[in-house]
Amino acid sequence: MPRFSHRLPADVTTRLDLPHGDSVLAGVHLDGGGWAVATLRAFHLLAEDAATPEAATPWCDVARGSLDPTSRTLTVWWVSGTRRAVTLPDDADARRFARTFRDRVQQSVVHAVTVALPGGGQAQVALRRGPDGLLFTQTLGTAAVDPRDPEVAAALAKAEAAVRDAAGLPA
């Protein structure tokens, strides 16, 4: 993946305070203010005001994103179930950022399966790569999915074992 070719303003780069081994891949000044930055390890949202803390999320904690091309609104869903919408400008940096965002989320997913659950619900069990490179399993479902239900728990455990087995990992 090519490195970010445009320099972020110095104050934005300083606020990122990236750990050793991380680097900026794409960044964009958001319509309405603030910055969205994609680094090797995380998705960063920075307010325009330097006094407002930065929100940095490892890619493995981003469930998905969707871009409405008409409004240029990128909606980001976190694995916690929360979401945030930001409006991208209409320029090449924004298109580069959207592609990079998609690539980084996809790269964090090694293997995933959708599981039909007893009672009609469904969940996704994924093998993800953390910022340290280590693999772990992650289960995502709607609020209606009750992992305490013994039948649901059994279905999720079976799917998790299958995902781990497909990657050659111990169950």
Side-chain angles (χ1 to χ4, degrees):
M1 178 175 291
R3 300 276 184 220
F4 183 51
S5 62
H6 296 70
R7 294 190 54 86
L8 295 173
D11 65 314
V12 172
T13 304
T14 301
R15 288 173 58 200
L16 288 172
D17 191 28
L18 298 179
H20 179 72
D22 200 0
S23 62
V24 173
L25 300 175
V28 65
H29 189 255
L30 300 170
D31 280 5
W35 289 84
V37 180
T39 70
L40 283 171
R41 297 182 181 168
F43 170 58
H44 302 259
L45 285 173
L46 288 83
E48 197 73 42
D49 172 18
T52 303
E54 169 200 6
T57 305
W59 292 111
C60 61
D61 290 339
V62 177
R64 62 189 164 92
S66 67
L67 179 63
D68 178 325
T70 304
S71 67
R72 301 179 329 275
T73 300
L74 173 67
T75 303
V76 179
W77 281 267
W78 283 273
V79 297
S80 66
T82 60
R83 68 178 181 208
R84 168 97 186 264
V86 295
T87 304
L88 304 177
D90 187 13
D91 61 19
D93 284 343
R95 289 184 289 281
R96 182 182 312 103
F97 178 82
R99 284 190 307 272
T100 303
F101 177 93
R102 180 179 184 273
D103 290 345
R104 297 313 299 171
V105 172
Q106 285 185 330
Q107 185 189 23
S108 76
V109 178
V110 175
H111 181 64
V113 296
T114 299
V115 183
L117 298 171
Q122 64 178 351
Q124 183 181 59
V125 177
L127 185 64
R128 305 270 318 245
R129 184 179 325 279
D132 54 7
L134 296 177
L135 300 177
F136 67 96
T137 52
Q138 186 178 71
T139 302
L140 300 173
T142 64
V145 173
D146 183 2
R148 297 170 299 184
D149 178 306
E151 290 181 8
V152 170
L156 293 174
K158 182 178 177 183
E160 181 179 6
V163 165
R164 295 182 67 79
D165 184 58
L169 297 174

